[in-house]
Structures are given as structure tokens and as C-alpha cells.
Short mmCIF file of all heavy atoms in Angstrom, two decimals:
data_model
loop_
_atom_site.label_atom_id
_atom_site.label_comp_id
_atom_site.label_asym_id
_atom_site.label_seq_id
_atom_site.Cartn_x
_atom_site.Cartn_y
_atom_site.Cartn_z
N MET A 1 2.29 -48.00 -30.61
CA MET A 1 3.34 -47.12 -31.07
C MET A 1 4.30 -47.96 -31.92
O MET A 1 4.61 -49.09 -31.56
CB MET A 1 4.04 -46.51 -29.87
CG MET A 1 5.08 -45.48 -30.23
SD MET A 1 5.75 -44.61 -28.80
CE MET A 1 4.31 -43.75 -28.20
N SER A 2 4.79 -47.37 -32.98
CA SER A 2 5.66 -48.12 -33.89
C SER A 2 7.03 -48.37 -33.26
O SER A 2 7.52 -47.57 -32.45
CB SER A 2 5.84 -47.35 -35.20
OG SER A 2 6.69 -46.23 -35.00
N PRO A 3 7.67 -49.48 -33.64
CA PRO A 3 9.01 -49.75 -33.14
C PRO A 3 9.99 -48.63 -33.49
O PRO A 3 10.87 -48.31 -32.69
CB PRO A 3 9.41 -51.06 -33.83
CG PRO A 3 8.12 -51.71 -34.19
CD PRO A 3 7.16 -50.58 -34.46
N GLU A 4 9.83 -48.03 -34.65
CA GLU A 4 10.73 -46.96 -35.06
C GLU A 4 10.66 -45.77 -34.10
O GLU A 4 11.68 -45.18 -33.75
CB GLU A 4 10.41 -46.49 -36.49
CG GLU A 4 10.67 -47.52 -37.55
CD GLU A 4 9.55 -48.56 -37.70
OE1 GLU A 4 8.43 -48.34 -37.18
OE2 GLU A 4 9.80 -49.60 -38.33
N LYS A 5 9.44 -45.44 -33.69
CA LYS A 5 9.27 -44.32 -32.76
C LYS A 5 9.84 -44.66 -31.38
O LYS A 5 10.50 -43.84 -30.75
CB LYS A 5 7.80 -43.93 -32.64
CG LYS A 5 7.61 -42.69 -31.81
CD LYS A 5 6.23 -42.11 -31.94
CE LYS A 5 6.17 -40.80 -31.15
NZ LYS A 5 4.92 -40.13 -31.33
N LEU A 6 9.62 -45.89 -30.94
CA LEU A 6 10.19 -46.31 -29.64
C LEU A 6 11.70 -46.29 -29.69
O LEU A 6 12.36 -45.87 -28.72
CB LEU A 6 9.68 -47.71 -29.28
CG LEU A 6 8.19 -47.81 -28.95
CD1 LEU A 6 7.78 -49.26 -28.82
CD2 LEU A 6 7.87 -47.04 -27.69
N VAL A 7 12.28 -46.75 -30.80
CA VAL A 7 13.74 -46.73 -30.95
C VAL A 7 14.25 -45.30 -30.89
O VAL A 7 15.23 -45.01 -30.19
CB VAL A 7 14.16 -47.43 -32.27
CG1 VAL A 7 15.61 -47.13 -32.62
CG2 VAL A 7 13.93 -48.93 -32.17
N ARG A 8 13.59 -44.41 -31.62
CA ARG A 8 14.02 -43.01 -31.63
C ARG A 8 13.96 -42.42 -30.22
O ARG A 8 14.90 -41.77 -29.76
CB ARG A 8 13.15 -42.20 -32.58
CG ARG A 8 13.59 -40.74 -32.70
CD ARG A 8 12.82 -39.98 -33.77
NE ARG A 8 11.39 -40.08 -33.63
CZ ARG A 8 10.64 -39.28 -32.86
NH1 ARG A 8 11.20 -38.33 -32.16
NH2 ARG A 8 9.34 -39.44 -32.81
N MET A 9 12.87 -42.69 -29.51
CA MET A 9 12.72 -42.15 -28.15
C MET A 9 13.75 -42.75 -27.20
O MET A 9 14.36 -42.02 -26.41
CB MET A 9 11.30 -42.41 -27.65
CG MET A 9 10.25 -41.63 -28.41
SD MET A 9 8.56 -42.14 -28.03
CE MET A 9 8.45 -41.81 -26.30
N ALA A 10 13.94 -44.07 -27.25
CA ALA A 10 14.92 -44.72 -26.37
C ALA A 10 16.32 -44.21 -26.67
O ALA A 10 17.11 -43.98 -25.74
CB ALA A 10 14.85 -46.23 -26.54
N ASN A 11 16.63 -44.01 -27.94
CA ASN A 11 17.95 -43.49 -28.30
C ASN A 11 18.15 -42.06 -27.83
O ASN A 11 19.26 -41.68 -27.44
CB ASN A 11 18.18 -43.60 -29.81
CG ASN A 11 18.50 -45.01 -30.23
OD1 ASN A 11 18.88 -45.86 -29.43
ND2 ASN A 11 18.35 -45.28 -31.51
N GLN A 12 17.10 -41.25 -27.86
CA GLN A 12 17.21 -39.88 -27.35
C GLN A 12 17.53 -39.89 -25.86
O GLN A 12 18.37 -39.11 -25.39
CB GLN A 12 15.92 -39.11 -27.60
CG GLN A 12 15.70 -38.73 -29.04
CD GLN A 12 14.35 -38.08 -29.28
OE1 GLN A 12 13.36 -38.38 -28.59
NE2 GLN A 12 14.29 -37.21 -30.26
N ILE A 13 16.87 -40.76 -25.12
CA ILE A 13 17.14 -40.87 -23.68
C ILE A 13 18.56 -41.36 -23.46
O ILE A 13 19.29 -40.82 -22.62
CB ILE A 13 16.11 -41.82 -23.02
CG1 ILE A 13 14.71 -41.23 -23.15
CG2 ILE A 13 16.47 -42.08 -21.56
CD1 ILE A 13 13.59 -42.22 -22.92
N ALA A 14 18.98 -42.36 -24.22
CA ALA A 14 20.34 -42.89 -24.09
C ALA A 14 21.37 -41.81 -24.43
O ALA A 14 22.39 -41.68 -23.73
CB ALA A 14 20.53 -44.10 -25.00
N THR A 15 21.12 -41.02 -25.46
CA THR A 15 22.04 -39.95 -25.84
C THR A 15 22.20 -38.95 -24.70
O THR A 15 23.32 -38.52 -24.40
CB THR A 15 21.54 -39.23 -27.11
OG1 THR A 15 21.54 -40.18 -28.19
CG2 THR A 15 22.43 -38.05 -27.48
N PHE A 16 21.10 -38.61 -24.05
CA PHE A 16 21.19 -37.69 -22.92
C PHE A 16 22.08 -38.27 -21.83
O PHE A 16 22.99 -37.60 -21.33
CB PHE A 16 19.80 -37.37 -22.36
CG PHE A 16 19.87 -36.59 -21.08
CD1 PHE A 16 20.15 -35.24 -21.09
CD2 PHE A 16 19.71 -37.22 -19.86
CE1 PHE A 16 20.25 -34.52 -19.91
CE2 PHE A 16 19.80 -36.51 -18.67
CZ PHE A 16 20.08 -35.16 -18.70
N PHE A 17 21.82 -39.52 -21.45
CA PHE A 17 22.57 -40.09 -20.33
C PHE A 17 24.01 -40.42 -20.70
O PHE A 17 24.86 -40.51 -19.80
CB PHE A 17 21.83 -41.30 -19.75
CG PHE A 17 20.66 -40.90 -18.90
CD1 PHE A 17 19.36 -41.14 -19.32
CD2 PHE A 17 20.85 -40.24 -17.70
CE1 PHE A 17 18.27 -40.74 -18.55
CE2 PHE A 17 19.77 -39.83 -16.92
CZ PHE A 17 18.48 -40.09 -17.35
N GLU A 18 24.31 -40.54 -21.98
CA GLU A 18 25.71 -40.70 -22.39
C GLU A 18 26.54 -39.47 -22.06
O GLU A 18 27.75 -39.57 -21.86
CB GLU A 18 25.80 -40.96 -23.91
CG GLU A 18 25.38 -42.34 -24.32
CD GLU A 18 25.28 -42.50 -25.82
OE1 GLU A 18 25.27 -41.51 -26.56
OE2 GLU A 18 25.21 -43.67 -26.25
N THR A 19 25.88 -38.32 -22.00
CA THR A 19 26.61 -37.07 -21.73
C THR A 19 26.77 -36.79 -20.25
O THR A 19 27.46 -35.84 -19.88
CB THR A 19 25.88 -35.87 -22.38
OG1 THR A 19 24.62 -35.68 -21.73
CG2 THR A 19 25.68 -36.08 -23.87
N GLN A 20 26.13 -37.59 -19.41
CA GLN A 20 26.17 -37.36 -17.97
C GLN A 20 27.37 -38.07 -17.36
O GLN A 20 27.79 -39.12 -17.82
CB GLN A 20 24.88 -37.85 -17.32
CG GLN A 20 23.63 -37.20 -17.87
CD GLN A 20 23.67 -35.69 -17.76
OE1 GLN A 20 23.81 -35.14 -16.68
NE2 GLN A 20 23.59 -35.01 -18.90
N PRO A 21 27.93 -37.50 -16.30
CA PRO A 21 29.07 -38.15 -15.65
C PRO A 21 28.66 -39.47 -14.98
O PRO A 21 27.49 -39.67 -14.64
CB PRO A 21 29.53 -37.13 -14.60
CG PRO A 21 28.38 -36.21 -14.41
CD PRO A 21 27.56 -36.25 -15.66
N GLY A 22 29.63 -40.34 -14.82
CA GLY A 22 29.40 -41.61 -14.15
C GLY A 22 29.30 -42.76 -15.13
O GLY A 22 29.23 -42.57 -16.35
N ASN A 23 29.33 -43.95 -14.58
CA ASN A 23 29.29 -45.17 -15.38
C ASN A 23 27.97 -45.91 -15.25
O ASN A 23 27.89 -47.08 -15.57
CB ASN A 23 30.43 -46.11 -14.96
CG ASN A 23 31.78 -45.50 -15.23
OD1 ASN A 23 31.96 -44.80 -16.22
ND2 ASN A 23 32.75 -45.76 -14.37
N ASP A 24 26.94 -45.22 -14.77
CA ASP A 24 25.67 -45.87 -14.53
C ASP A 24 24.60 -45.47 -15.55
O ASP A 24 23.41 -45.45 -15.25
CB ASP A 24 25.19 -45.57 -13.11
CG ASP A 24 24.96 -44.08 -12.86
OD1 ASP A 24 25.46 -43.26 -13.65
OD2 ASP A 24 24.30 -43.76 -11.86
N GLY A 25 25.02 -45.18 -16.76
CA GLY A 25 24.10 -44.72 -17.79
C GLY A 25 22.97 -45.69 -18.07
O GLY A 25 21.81 -45.29 -18.16
N ALA A 26 23.29 -46.98 -18.19
CA ALA A 26 22.26 -47.97 -18.48
C ALA A 26 21.24 -48.03 -17.34
O ALA A 26 20.03 -48.12 -17.59
CB ALA A 26 22.87 -49.34 -18.73
N GLU A 27 21.71 -47.95 -16.12
CA GLU A 27 20.81 -47.94 -14.95
C GLU A 27 19.87 -46.74 -15.01
O GLU A 27 18.68 -46.86 -14.73
CB GLU A 27 21.62 -47.87 -13.65
CG GLU A 27 22.32 -49.15 -13.30
CD GLU A 27 21.40 -50.11 -12.59
OE1 GLU A 27 20.35 -49.69 -12.07
OE2 GLU A 27 21.72 -51.30 -12.58
N ARG A 28 20.43 -45.60 -15.37
CA ARG A 28 19.64 -44.37 -15.39
C ARG A 28 18.63 -44.38 -16.54
O ARG A 28 17.50 -43.90 -16.38
CB ARG A 28 20.56 -43.17 -15.44
CG ARG A 28 21.38 -43.08 -14.14
CD ARG A 28 22.50 -42.11 -14.21
NE ARG A 28 21.99 -40.75 -14.07
CZ ARG A 28 22.76 -39.68 -14.15
NH1 ARG A 28 24.06 -39.79 -14.36
NH2 ARG A 28 22.22 -38.48 -14.02
N VAL A 29 19.03 -44.92 -17.69
CA VAL A 29 18.09 -45.04 -18.81
C VAL A 29 16.97 -46.00 -18.42
O VAL A 29 15.78 -45.70 -18.63
CB VAL A 29 18.79 -45.52 -20.09
CG1 VAL A 29 17.79 -45.83 -21.19
CG2 VAL A 29 19.80 -44.48 -20.58
N ALA A 30 17.31 -47.14 -17.83
CA ALA A 30 16.30 -48.11 -17.42
C ALA A 30 15.34 -47.49 -16.40
O ALA A 30 14.12 -47.69 -16.48
CB ALA A 30 16.96 -49.36 -16.84
N ALA A 31 15.87 -46.73 -15.46
CA ALA A 31 15.02 -46.08 -14.47
C ALA A 31 14.08 -45.08 -15.13
O ALA A 31 12.90 -44.99 -14.77
CB ALA A 31 15.88 -45.39 -13.41
N HIS A 32 14.59 -44.34 -16.10
CA HIS A 32 13.74 -43.38 -16.81
C HIS A 32 12.62 -44.10 -17.55
O HIS A 32 11.45 -43.68 -17.48
CB HIS A 32 14.58 -42.56 -17.79
CG HIS A 32 13.79 -41.55 -18.54
ND1 HIS A 32 13.66 -40.25 -18.09
CD2 HIS A 32 13.08 -41.63 -19.68
CE1 HIS A 32 12.88 -39.59 -18.94
NE2 HIS A 32 12.52 -40.40 -19.92
N LEU A 33 12.96 -45.17 -18.24
CA LEU A 33 11.94 -45.93 -18.97
C LEU A 33 10.89 -46.49 -18.01
O LEU A 33 9.70 -46.46 -18.31
CB LEU A 33 12.58 -47.06 -19.78
CG LEU A 33 13.56 -46.64 -20.88
CD1 LEU A 33 14.19 -47.86 -21.52
CD2 LEU A 33 12.89 -45.76 -21.91
N LYS A 34 11.33 -46.97 -16.88
CA LYS A 34 10.40 -47.53 -15.90
C LYS A 34 9.50 -46.44 -15.30
O LYS A 34 8.30 -46.64 -15.13
CB LYS A 34 11.16 -48.23 -14.78
CG LYS A 34 10.26 -48.88 -13.74
CD LYS A 34 11.09 -49.56 -12.68
CE LYS A 34 10.24 -50.23 -11.63
NZ LYS A 34 9.37 -49.32 -10.90
N ASP A 35 10.08 -45.29 -15.05
CA ASP A 35 9.32 -44.21 -14.40
C ASP A 35 8.39 -43.46 -15.34
O ASP A 35 7.33 -43.00 -14.92
CB ASP A 35 10.28 -43.20 -13.76
CG ASP A 35 11.01 -43.75 -12.55
OD1 ASP A 35 10.59 -44.79 -12.02
OD2 ASP A 35 12.02 -43.13 -12.15
N PHE A 36 8.77 -43.32 -16.62
CA PHE A 36 8.04 -42.42 -17.50
C PHE A 36 7.37 -43.09 -18.70
O PHE A 36 6.54 -42.45 -19.35
CB PHE A 36 8.96 -41.30 -17.99
CG PHE A 36 9.44 -40.43 -16.88
CD1 PHE A 36 10.73 -40.54 -16.40
CD2 PHE A 36 8.60 -39.52 -16.25
CE1 PHE A 36 11.19 -39.76 -15.36
CE2 PHE A 36 9.04 -38.72 -15.21
CZ PHE A 36 10.33 -38.85 -14.76
N TRP A 37 7.72 -44.31 -19.01
CA TRP A 37 7.07 -45.01 -20.12
C TRP A 37 5.96 -45.89 -19.57
O TRP A 37 6.13 -46.54 -18.54
CB TRP A 37 8.07 -45.87 -20.88
CG TRP A 37 8.94 -45.12 -21.84
CD1 TRP A 37 9.33 -43.82 -21.76
CD2 TRP A 37 9.55 -45.65 -23.00
NE1 TRP A 37 10.15 -43.51 -22.81
CE2 TRP A 37 10.30 -44.63 -23.59
CE3 TRP A 37 9.55 -46.91 -23.59
CZ2 TRP A 37 11.03 -44.81 -24.75
CZ3 TRP A 37 10.29 -47.10 -24.76
CH2 TRP A 37 11.00 -46.04 -25.33
N GLU A 38 4.84 -45.91 -20.27
CA GLU A 38 3.76 -46.79 -19.82
C GLU A 38 4.15 -48.24 -20.11
O GLU A 38 5.01 -48.51 -20.96
CB GLU A 38 2.45 -46.41 -20.48
CG GLU A 38 2.40 -46.65 -21.96
CD GLU A 38 1.02 -46.35 -22.52
OE1 GLU A 38 0.41 -45.34 -22.13
OE2 GLU A 38 0.56 -47.14 -23.35
N PRO A 39 3.57 -49.17 -19.39
CA PRO A 39 3.94 -50.59 -19.55
C PRO A 39 3.88 -51.09 -20.98
O PRO A 39 4.76 -51.85 -21.41
CB PRO A 39 2.94 -51.32 -18.65
CG PRO A 39 2.60 -50.33 -17.59
CD PRO A 39 2.60 -48.99 -18.29
N ARG A 40 2.89 -50.66 -21.75
CA ARG A 40 2.79 -51.13 -23.14
C ARG A 40 4.00 -50.71 -23.97
O ARG A 40 4.45 -51.44 -24.85
CB ARG A 40 1.51 -50.62 -23.80
CG ARG A 40 0.25 -51.25 -23.25
CD ARG A 40 -0.97 -50.71 -23.94
NE ARG A 40 -1.07 -49.27 -23.66
CZ ARG A 40 -1.97 -48.46 -24.18
NH1 ARG A 40 -2.85 -48.91 -25.04
NH2 ARG A 40 -2.00 -47.18 -23.86
N MET A 41 4.51 -49.53 -23.69
CA MET A 41 5.69 -49.05 -24.42
C MET A 41 6.90 -49.89 -24.05
O MET A 41 7.70 -50.25 -24.93
CB MET A 41 5.95 -47.58 -24.09
CG MET A 41 4.89 -46.65 -24.63
SD MET A 41 5.07 -44.96 -24.00
CE MET A 41 6.58 -44.43 -24.78
N ARG A 42 7.05 -50.21 -22.77
CA ARG A 42 8.19 -51.04 -22.35
C ARG A 42 8.09 -52.43 -22.95
O ARG A 42 9.09 -52.99 -23.42
CB ARG A 42 8.27 -51.09 -20.82
CG ARG A 42 8.59 -49.74 -20.21
CD ARG A 42 8.95 -49.84 -18.73
NE ARG A 42 7.92 -50.44 -17.92
CZ ARG A 42 7.00 -49.78 -17.25
NH1 ARG A 42 6.94 -48.46 -17.32
NH2 ARG A 42 6.11 -50.41 -16.52
N VAL A 43 6.90 -53.01 -22.96
CA VAL A 43 6.70 -54.34 -23.56
C VAL A 43 7.05 -54.31 -25.04
O VAL A 43 7.72 -55.21 -25.55
CB VAL A 43 5.25 -54.82 -23.33
CG1 VAL A 43 4.93 -56.03 -24.18
CG2 VAL A 43 5.02 -55.13 -21.85
N ALA A 44 6.62 -53.27 -25.73
CA ALA A 44 6.91 -53.15 -27.16
C ALA A 44 8.41 -52.99 -27.41
O ALA A 44 8.96 -53.56 -28.36
CB ALA A 44 6.14 -51.99 -27.77
N LEU A 45 9.08 -52.23 -26.55
CA LEU A 45 10.53 -52.07 -26.69
C LEU A 45 11.23 -53.41 -26.49
O LEU A 45 12.12 -53.78 -27.26
CB LEU A 45 11.05 -51.04 -25.69
CG LEU A 45 12.57 -50.82 -25.73
CD1 LEU A 45 12.99 -50.19 -27.04
CD2 LEU A 45 13.01 -49.96 -24.55
N LEU A 46 10.83 -54.16 -25.47
CA LEU A 46 11.45 -55.46 -25.22
C LEU A 46 11.16 -56.44 -26.36
O LEU A 46 12.02 -57.24 -26.72
CB LEU A 46 10.99 -56.03 -23.88
CG LEU A 46 11.44 -55.23 -22.65
CD1 LEU A 46 10.88 -55.85 -21.38
CD2 LEU A 46 12.96 -55.12 -22.59
N ALA A 47 9.97 -56.35 -26.95
CA ALA A 47 9.66 -57.20 -28.11
C ALA A 47 10.56 -56.84 -29.28
O ALA A 47 11.03 -57.72 -30.01
CB ALA A 47 8.19 -57.04 -28.49
N HIS A 48 10.84 -55.56 -29.45
CA HIS A 48 11.75 -55.13 -30.52
C HIS A 48 13.16 -55.66 -30.26
O HIS A 48 13.83 -56.13 -31.18
CB HIS A 48 11.76 -53.60 -30.63
CG HIS A 48 12.66 -53.09 -31.69
ND1 HIS A 48 12.41 -53.26 -33.02
CD2 HIS A 48 13.85 -52.42 -31.60
CE1 HIS A 48 13.40 -52.72 -33.73
NE2 HIS A 48 14.27 -52.21 -32.87
N VAL A 49 13.58 -55.62 -29.02
CA VAL A 49 14.90 -56.16 -28.66
C VAL A 49 14.94 -57.66 -28.95
O VAL A 49 15.94 -58.17 -29.46
CB VAL A 49 15.23 -55.87 -27.18
CG1 VAL A 49 16.46 -56.63 -26.73
CG2 VAL A 49 15.41 -54.37 -26.97
N ASP A 50 13.85 -58.36 -28.69
CA ASP A 50 13.78 -59.80 -28.95
C ASP A 50 13.95 -60.13 -30.43
O ASP A 50 14.38 -61.22 -30.78
CB ASP A 50 12.46 -60.39 -28.45
CG ASP A 50 12.39 -60.45 -26.94
OD1 ASP A 50 13.45 -60.35 -26.28
OD2 ASP A 50 11.27 -60.58 -26.41
N THR A 51 13.60 -59.18 -31.30
CA THR A 51 13.75 -59.40 -32.74
C THR A 51 15.07 -58.86 -33.27
O THR A 51 15.26 -58.75 -34.47
CB THR A 51 12.58 -58.77 -33.53
OG1 THR A 51 12.61 -57.36 -33.35
CG2 THR A 51 11.25 -59.34 -33.09
N GLY A 52 15.96 -58.51 -32.37
CA GLY A 52 17.28 -58.04 -32.77
C GLY A 52 17.62 -56.64 -32.33
O GLY A 52 18.78 -56.25 -32.33
N GLY A 53 16.62 -55.84 -31.99
CA GLY A 53 16.88 -54.50 -31.48
C GLY A 53 17.46 -53.54 -32.50
O GLY A 53 18.22 -52.63 -32.14
N ALA A 54 17.11 -53.71 -33.77
CA ALA A 54 17.68 -52.89 -34.84
C ALA A 54 17.53 -51.41 -34.53
O ALA A 54 16.46 -50.94 -34.14
CB ALA A 54 16.99 -53.21 -36.16
N GLY A 55 18.63 -50.69 -34.68
CA GLY A 55 18.62 -49.24 -34.52
C GLY A 55 18.87 -48.73 -33.13
O GLY A 55 19.10 -47.54 -32.95
N LEU A 56 18.81 -49.60 -32.14
CA LEU A 56 19.00 -49.14 -30.76
C LEU A 56 20.48 -48.94 -30.45
O LEU A 56 21.33 -49.76 -30.82
CB LEU A 56 18.42 -50.14 -29.76
CG LEU A 56 16.91 -50.12 -29.61
CD1 LEU A 56 16.44 -51.32 -28.80
CD2 LEU A 56 16.44 -48.83 -28.97
N LYS A 57 20.77 -47.85 -29.76
CA LYS A 57 22.13 -47.60 -29.29
C LYS A 57 22.49 -48.66 -28.24
O LYS A 57 21.61 -49.18 -27.56
CB LYS A 57 22.21 -46.21 -28.63
CG LYS A 57 22.04 -45.07 -29.59
CD LYS A 57 22.06 -43.76 -28.82
CE LYS A 57 22.69 -42.72 -29.67
NZ LYS A 57 23.95 -42.24 -29.21
N PRO A 58 23.78 -48.95 -28.11
CA PRO A 58 24.20 -49.94 -27.11
C PRO A 58 23.69 -49.63 -25.70
O PRO A 58 23.28 -50.54 -24.98
CB PRO A 58 25.72 -49.89 -27.17
CG PRO A 58 26.02 -49.47 -28.57
CD PRO A 58 24.91 -48.49 -28.92
N LEU A 59 23.69 -48.37 -25.31
CA LEU A 59 23.22 -48.01 -23.97
C LEU A 59 21.73 -48.31 -23.81
O LEU A 59 21.28 -48.78 -22.76
CB LEU A 59 23.51 -46.54 -23.68
CG LEU A 59 23.31 -46.09 -22.24
CD1 LEU A 59 24.25 -46.84 -21.30
CD2 LEU A 59 23.54 -44.59 -22.12
N ALA A 60 20.95 -48.08 -24.86
CA ALA A 60 19.52 -48.39 -24.82
C ALA A 60 19.30 -49.90 -24.74
O ALA A 60 18.41 -50.37 -24.03
CB ALA A 60 18.81 -47.81 -26.05
N LEU A 61 20.12 -50.66 -25.44
CA LEU A 61 20.02 -52.13 -25.36
C LEU A 61 20.35 -52.62 -23.95
O LEU A 61 19.68 -53.51 -23.42
CB LEU A 61 20.96 -52.78 -26.38
CG LEU A 61 20.50 -52.76 -27.82
CD1 LEU A 61 21.63 -53.20 -28.75
CD2 LEU A 61 19.29 -53.66 -28.00
N GLN A 62 21.39 -52.05 -23.35
CA GLN A 62 21.75 -52.43 -21.98
C GLN A 62 20.61 -52.10 -21.03
O GLN A 62 20.30 -52.89 -20.13
CB GLN A 62 23.02 -51.71 -21.55
CG GLN A 62 24.26 -52.15 -22.28
CD GLN A 62 25.45 -51.24 -21.96
OE1 GLN A 62 25.35 -50.30 -21.17
NE2 GLN A 62 26.58 -51.53 -22.58
N ALA A 63 20.00 -50.94 -21.22
CA ALA A 63 18.89 -50.54 -20.36
C ALA A 63 17.71 -51.50 -20.52
O ALA A 63 17.06 -51.87 -19.54
CB ALA A 63 18.48 -49.11 -20.68
N ALA A 64 17.44 -51.91 -21.75
CA ALA A 64 16.35 -52.87 -21.99
C ALA A 64 16.63 -54.18 -21.28
O ALA A 64 15.71 -54.79 -20.70
CB ALA A 64 16.17 -53.10 -23.49
N ASP A 65 17.87 -54.64 -21.30
CA ASP A 65 18.23 -55.85 -20.58
C ASP A 65 17.97 -55.71 -19.10
O ASP A 65 17.48 -56.62 -18.43
CB ASP A 65 19.68 -56.24 -20.84
CG ASP A 65 19.93 -56.76 -22.23
OD1 ASP A 65 18.96 -57.21 -22.90
OD2 ASP A 65 21.09 -56.71 -22.68
N LEU A 66 18.30 -54.53 -18.55
CA LEU A 66 18.04 -54.28 -17.12
C LEU A 66 16.55 -54.27 -16.83
O LEU A 66 16.11 -54.80 -15.81
CB LEU A 66 18.67 -52.95 -16.69
CG LEU A 66 20.19 -52.93 -16.65
CD1 LEU A 66 20.69 -51.51 -16.38
CD2 LEU A 66 20.73 -53.88 -15.60
N LEU A 67 15.76 -53.68 -17.72
CA LEU A 67 14.31 -53.69 -17.54
C LEU A 67 13.77 -55.11 -17.50
O LEU A 67 12.93 -55.45 -16.69
CB LEU A 67 13.63 -52.93 -18.68
CG LEU A 67 13.56 -51.43 -18.61
CD1 LEU A 67 12.92 -50.88 -19.87
CD2 LEU A 67 12.78 -50.99 -17.39
N ARG A 68 14.27 -55.93 -18.41
CA ARG A 68 13.82 -57.32 -18.49
C ARG A 68 14.16 -58.07 -17.19
O ARG A 68 13.36 -58.83 -16.68
CB ARG A 68 14.44 -58.00 -19.69
CG ARG A 68 13.91 -59.40 -19.94
CD ARG A 68 14.58 -60.09 -21.09
NE ARG A 68 14.70 -59.32 -22.29
CZ ARG A 68 13.74 -59.17 -23.20
NH1 ARG A 68 12.58 -59.73 -23.02
NH2 ARG A 68 13.95 -58.47 -24.29
N GLU A 69 15.35 -57.85 -16.68
CA GLU A 69 15.78 -58.52 -15.45
C GLU A 69 14.89 -58.16 -14.27
O GLU A 69 14.68 -58.98 -13.37
CB GLU A 69 17.23 -58.13 -15.11
CG GLU A 69 18.26 -58.72 -16.04
CD GLU A 69 19.65 -58.17 -15.75
OE1 GLU A 69 19.85 -57.45 -14.75
OE2 GLU A 69 20.55 -58.44 -16.57
N ARG A 70 14.38 -56.95 -14.27
CA ARG A 70 13.61 -56.46 -13.12
C ARG A 70 12.12 -56.68 -13.28
O ARG A 70 11.37 -56.39 -12.35
CB ARG A 70 13.88 -54.97 -12.93
CG ARG A 70 15.33 -54.71 -12.59
CD ARG A 70 15.64 -53.27 -12.54
NE ARG A 70 17.07 -53.10 -12.33
CZ ARG A 70 17.72 -51.99 -12.55
NH1 ARG A 70 17.07 -50.94 -13.00
NH2 ARG A 70 19.01 -51.93 -12.35
N ALA A 71 11.70 -57.16 -14.44
CA ALA A 71 10.26 -57.35 -14.68
C ALA A 71 9.73 -58.58 -13.98
O ALA A 71 10.39 -59.43 -13.52
CB ALA A 71 10.01 -57.45 -16.18
#
């Protein structure tokens, strides 16, 4: 899957959780990515973050960091 598509999808998830109450948006995005994205998609997202994470919303970047910590 292309990095552009992963960025778009991760940003859509982040946008949803930005509208939800609470301060745990990054945790919730990371949990969603872990639960619903296949491992190859998560690896590709983290590789994109390693190259600068262009286009990712801050909440999606925070979630990627959490995914990396838990891997």
C-alpha cells in the first residue's frame, strides 16, 4: 500500500478521535491501528514516520510513536 494512502487512512482515524471527548486520542488511534490494520500496514506506516512522516497529523504521529513503543 502506498504511503500516501496510509497517511490518508491514519489521518482519517486521527480526525475521528480528535472529535471524541478525553485526552487519550493518541492511545485510541494506536489501539485502532493495532486492532484493525494488518502488520504490514503498521510496518509501512512506521517506515513512513522514520522518513519524516510527511502529511501525518500530529495525533497520528503520536499514535505511531505509541505503536513503536509497544512493538
Side-chain angles (χ1 to χ4, degrees):
M1 185 173 295
S2 73
E4 294 81 15
K5 186 166 184 175
L6 292 171
V7 166
R8 183 173 53 86
M9 293 170 61
N11 283 342
Q12 287 175 329
I13 297 163
T15 297
F16 172 78
F17 284 110
E18 286 172 345
T19 66
Q20 302 304 302
N23 296 325
D24 61 344
E27 287 277 341
R28 294 168 78 183
V29 172
H32 181 92
L33 297 176
K34 183 179 180 299
D35 290 345
F36 296 104
W37 281 28
E38 67 175 42
R40 290 180 297 175
M41 292 170 68
R42 294 192 302 266
V43 167
L45 179 66
L46 294 178
H48 180 69
V49 170
D50 289 342
T51 64
L56 283 169
K57 292 177 146 247
L59 191 62
L61 284 169
Q62 292 171 1
D65 289 339
L66 291 173
L67 278 177
R68 186 183 312 278
E69 289 173 8
R70 297 174 185 163

